[in-house]
Amino acid sequence: MKKKLIPALSGLLVGIVASTVFFADYTNVGPKSVADTSTKSNAEKVYVPFGEQDEYYLFASGGHSGQMFIYGVPSMRHIRTVPVFSQDSATGYGWSDHTKELMGDYTWGDLHHPAFSETKGEYDGKWMFATDVANSRAAVMDLETFTVKDILDVPNTSGPHCAMFVTENTEYMFLPTRFAVPFGSEYASLDEYSSKYYGVMSAVQFNEEKEELGVSWQVALPPWSYDLSDAGKGPSHGWAVVTTYNTEEATTNLEINASQADRDYIVLFNWKELEKMVADGQYEEVNGQKVIFPEKHKGGLYLVPVAKSPHGVDVTPDGKYFIASGKLAPAMTVFSFEKAFAAIEAGDFSGEKYGMPVINYESVMEREVNPENALGPLHTQFDDKGMAYTTMFISSEIVKWDPTTGETVDRVPVQYSPGHSVAAEGDSVSPDGKWLISLNKIAKDSYLSVGPSHPESMQLIDLSGDKMEVILSAPVNPEPHYAQIIKADKLSPIEVYPKDETNPDAVYSQDQTRIERKGNEVHVYGIAMRSKFIFDAKAERPDVIEVNEGDKVVIHLTNIDFDEDITHGFAINRHDLNMEVQPGQTETISFTADKAGTFPIYCTNFCSALHQEMTGYLLVKPSN
Ligand code: RUQ
Ligand code: CUA
């Protein structure tokens, strides 16, 4: 007998599941238990005494806050917020010249799926990548300064939700798009959706030396929605997988119309082959990009049927399997790379779509796993013993199971509705098996109430014993779409910015400070030090900047306190301007002095006992 695809959840069940998803009564779902830190032994597991540090860093995506939140694990203490796609007055991000330039025309972003750079499949502690679904961008942060180095506007695409998932040696990050659009976001009627719209996937590379992101090539995929992806490793190195939904190509009411077909697809692609095609000139140029069209350029892309509307797809640490979870099907499906390669080799296809052969489901499927009453599987993480941990959005729990047998090993309720979970070093080839954090979409009654909307919630789960134990819960700002946990000793952040004598904007001693006028531009080369600003040491009042109404003012400021954590701020009253200079750092901020008047300048970052005295004046002489 032929094995059937997971029992189709058509009509009726879609209705039930959809209403459960969106209108869940969290009090009736699953066994109820709360995070238990009351026992002494559990409290001790997360207690990090003063003077000692956490063992891991957690980098949690800040979703539509556009930021990244850094926590310590296991204490779950929030250590730092790093702005990536959104302005942040705490650090002056988005006001200083170079951060303004990084942000381009936007003031915010929707940060999904952070990913560490990898070497041989291990997090190497050098870089962190993330995407912006709202404004179709990609960013890279360096882990020496915890600051953003580059933001790339990804052309021809709209909403790279799938990313970032890096390949084993950070060769590529693949950014398939959530929203199909015509190339260049040009106008095309939705009646022409199937012919003019594309779900473009971008292969992005990072140039470490130049600290620059760039698109290498793109693939014009069908106008479907691409949801999550993961890169192969070990035996599947050179390959990657992406889930799709809306293969129905609905153009309205997606909630219903994109859930009609019993199956969608996983796009399985051979990026080494695609890379070769591009090298051989097998592409077309569209808006300056090298674009592969699968109907014309064959041999790099395949489709694997999967139960309808899958969400997460995760490659096992050994690189042998990929596991898809169906948000509308109560099952995880384990697929075998080895079987997929054999099927491709044998031409074991059931048809073709948009030039991509469809591999026979039976030939590649290893097993369907359907834990009793577990609903809404979304994402899977792994431990050091080969066990899988899948979040159940609807039944609000984490299910631990064995991908090689399908057996359910353990289940634990979480509060409530987990999206992703993240395991310590969980996306590397060697997860640590120590901690798992459930990233819950709904906190509801977990914390003191702050009105109708609550923070999101992260629950720390101890994986070291036979049974999973929820031992601590921490609130987090919207919205932890995903997170990664890295061993703290892999990072070596700098203590101060080193002197850079080649930087023409930097001044390191008082006698180099000066204010220069070039026409109607005024350039200030100043320093910040405990506890004063010196813009021009030779002037009668070194802490005053005097300009004419209408002048363009460019202030270069260097913090010459080469002393860890002695950060200064710089703000001008009534000017909507603020920046930060960290120890040793030089930053520039520019504005037009279009308001005549007297405006105090002050240091915004408490730096010394005389921080209040760290002030000056901007005097703008009226033009008449
Ligand atoms: S998604 S909750 Cu933005 Cu990673 Cu699955
Ligand atoms: Cu410098 Cu406060």
Side-chain angles (χ1 to χ4, degrees):
M1 203 186 73
K2 260 195 156 185
K3 261 203 169 166
K4 279 213 359 239
L5 189 66
I6 292 166
L9 289 172
S10 47
L12 173 70
L13 200 43
V14 170
I16 296 172
V17 172
S19 55
T20 324
V21 172
F22 299 110
F23 313 110
D25 172 359
Y26 295 98
T27 53
N28 287 334
V29 168
K32 169 131 178 154
S33 97
V34 291
D36 179 15
T37 50
S38 57
T39 68
K40 194 166 168 266
S41 61
N42 275 349
E44 274 172 2
K45 281 182 199 162
V46 297
Y47 179 63
V48 179
F50 187 73
E52 284 175 33
Q53 308 291 357
D54 279 296
E55 193 181 351
Y56 293 94
Y57 284 97
L58 167 75
F59 284 63
S61 110
H64 47 290
S65 80
Q67 298 164 328
M68 187 93 75
F69 305 120
I70 319 287
Y71 280 73
V73 176
S75 74
M76 298 302 285
R77 291 183 293 211
H78 175 221
I79 300 169
R80 184 79 168 166
T81 295
V82 179
V84 180
F85 295 116
S86 293
Q87 285 186 312
D88 174 44
S89 54
T91 52
Y93 189 83
W95 281 274
S96 73
D97 283 12
H98 99 272
T99 56
K100 228 163 130 177
E101 198 187 310
L102 278 174
M103 291 188 59
D105 295 333
Y106 303 105
T107 58
W108 76 287
D110 187 4
L111 192 155
H112 284 241
H113 306 119
F116 291 116
S117 54
E118 293 182 14
T119 303
K120 294 189 181 146
E122 300 283 0
Y123 302 161
D124 58 24
K126 283 156 81 181
W127 309 97
M128 161 56 73
F129 305 98
T131 49
D132 167 20
V133 175
N135 297 313
S136 302
R137 293 174 295 170
V140 56
M141 177 197 299
D142 94 66
L143 299 181
E144 282 194 335
T145 61
F146 285 68
T147 57
V148 172
K149 290 292 163 180
D150 192 24
I151 295 183
L152 170 76
D153 216 308
V154 186
N156 289 340
T157 186
S158 217
H161 175 266
C162 284
M164 302 283 211
F165 293 94
V166 307
T167 55
E168 261 188 308
N169 294 295
T170 322
E171 295 98 335
Y172 285 104
M173 289 147 266
F174 298 103
L175 280 66
T177 179
R178 173 174 169 192
F179 313 109
V181 289
F183 277 103
S185 297
E186 271 171 26
Y187 171 81
S189 160
L190 281 161
D191 295 337
E192 298 177 293
Y193 189 79
S194 296
S195 59
K196 293 221 167 132
Y197 286 60
Y198 290 94
V200 170
M201 177 182 82
S202 307
V204 167
Q205 287 188 306
F206 176 57
N207 183 326
E208 226 175 18
E209 214 156 288
K210 293 189 180 159
E211 302 187 338
E212 263 173 30
L213 292 161
V215 176
S216 289
W217 38 269
Q218 299 183 317
V219 182
L221 292 170
W224 305 340
S225 290
Y226 300 87
D227 211 12
L228 266 302
S229 60
D230 204 359
K233 42 186 101 163
S236 53
H237 179 69
W239 291 76
V241 280
V242 185
T243 52
T244 66
Y245 61 98
N246 196 22
T247 55
E248 294 87 347
E249 300 178 21
T251 55
T252 183
N253 267 327
L254 260 61
E255 182 194 24
I256 312 265
N257 296 336
S259 307
Q260 297 303 308
D262 285 339
R263 57 183 74 186
D264 289 293
Y265 300 100
I266 289 173
V267 183
L268 172 68
F269 62 96
N270 182 338
W271 59 260
K272 291 236 159 150
E273 187 61 34
L274 295 171
E275 198 176 45
K276 224 181 283 160
M277 284 183 189
V278 174
D280 293 347
Q282 289 192 59
Y283 60 82
E284 272 171 42
E285 206 157 301
V286 186
N287 298 327
Q289 302 298 318
K290 297 169 178 152
V291 183
I292 295 170
F293 286 79
E295 277 170 302
K296 285 177 225 156
H297 315 115
K298 298 201 178 202
L301 296 124
Y302 304 90
L303 297 176
V304 176
V306 61
K308 69 162 65 196
S309 302
H311 186 56
V313 61
D314 299 281
V315 174
T316 53
D318 60 13
K320 288 186 180 164
Y321 305 102
F322 52 102
I323 299 170
S325 303
K327 52 187 189 264
L328 295 182
M332 293 80 80
T333 312
V334 183
F335 296 95
S336 156
F337 274 111
E338 202 183 322
K339 287 186 178 174
F341 300 156
I344 290 167
E345 190 72 28
D348 183 4
F349 306 132
S350 62
E352 197 181 275
K353 283 225 155 193
Y354 290 90
M356 297 180 283
V358 181
I359 303 176
N360 271 312
Y361 178 75
E362 295 77 14
S363 310
V364 55
M365 196 274 293
E366 190 75 25
R367 60 180 50 81
E368 292 166 354
V369 181
N370 192 346
E372 209 186 330
N373 297 327
L375 286 176
L378 291 186
H379 299 282
T380 301
Q381 285 278 285
F382 305 95
D383 68 11
D384 54 338
K385 298 177 188 74
M387 292 297 126
Y389 299 81
T390 301
T391 46
M392 298 292 164
F393 182 82
I394 299 170
S395 53
S396 282
E397 59 181 328
I398 308 274
V399 173
K400 174 180 177 180
W401 57 286
D402 185 340
T404 61
T405 62
E407 179 207 351
T408 301
V409 181
D410 191 20
R411 299 164 74 146
V412 70
V414 289
Q415 284 71 38
Y416 303 86
S417 296
H420 286 263
S421 74
V422 53
E425 305 249 333
D427 291 308
S428 74
V429 290
S430 62
D432 283 3
K434 268 191 156 172
W435 303 107
L436 183 83
I437 294 171
S438 176
L439 305 170
N440 307 322
K441 299 296 187 190
I442 307 283
K444 208 169 157 127
D445 49 11
S446 305
Y447 313 108
L448 287 174
S449 175
V450 286
S453 179
H454 297 242
E456 269 60 72
S457 160
M458 302 192 291
Q459 282 175 296
L460 180 72
I461 298 170
D462 182 3
L463 300 184
S464 58
D466 284 344
K467 298 283 253 171
M468 290 182 280
E469 262 189 294
V470 178
I471 58 175
L472 188 63
S473 167
V476 60
N477 271 353
E479 176 160 359
H481 285 284
Y482 191 44
Q484 281 194 331
I485 301 176
I486 189 169
K487 232 12 219 298
D489 59 17
K490 287 188 176 176
L491 271 60
S492 32
I494 59 168
E495 292 186 356
V496 299
Y497 280 87
K499 260 192 196 176
D500 179 6
E501 304 283 1
T502 65
N503 180 355
D505 300 336
V507 288
Y508 294 107
S509 66
Q510 298 196 25
D511 56 333
Q512 291 173 301
T513 57
R514 63 198 185 272
I515 298 178
E516 286 173 359
R517 177 173 282 280
K518 296 170 195 154
N520 58 355
E521 268 192 26
V522 177
H523 284 254
V524 179
Y525 296 86
I527 60 178
M529 58 188 281
R530 276 167 292 182
S531 303
K532 58 187 167 201
F533 293 111
I534 300 174
F535 303 122
D536 183 356
K538 294 170 287 299
E540 188 190 342
R541 296 188 181 88
D543 45 13
V544 170
I545 300 169
E546 188 158 338
V547 300
N548 299 323
E549 186 181 344
D551 279 347
K552 185 181 174 198
V553 185
V554 185
I555 297 169
H556 312 284
L557 193 65
T558 303
N559 178 349
I560 62 163
D561 283 319
F562 286 89
D563 198 352
E564 195 177 11
D565 201 23
I566 303 302
T567 297
H568 298 288
F570 176 91
I572 307 173
N573 259 218
R574 297 184 184 276
H575 273 70
D576 196 31
L577 291 175
N578 183 39
M579 69 169 173
E580 175 186 89
V581 274
Q582 297 188 7
Q585 192 182 22
T586 303
E587 278 278 21
T588 298
I589 197 163
S590 308
F591 60 97
T592 303
D594 47 15
K595 278 189 289 203
T598 302
F599 306 102
I601 292 170
Y602 76 106
C603 170
T604 43
N605 206 306
F606 211 106
C607 52
S608 73
L610 296 175
H611 156 81
Q612 288 295 94
E613 281 76 2
M614 191 162 172
T615 62
Y617 279 101
L618 168 73
L619 298 173
V620 183
K621 262 191 257 168
S623 55
N624 47 19

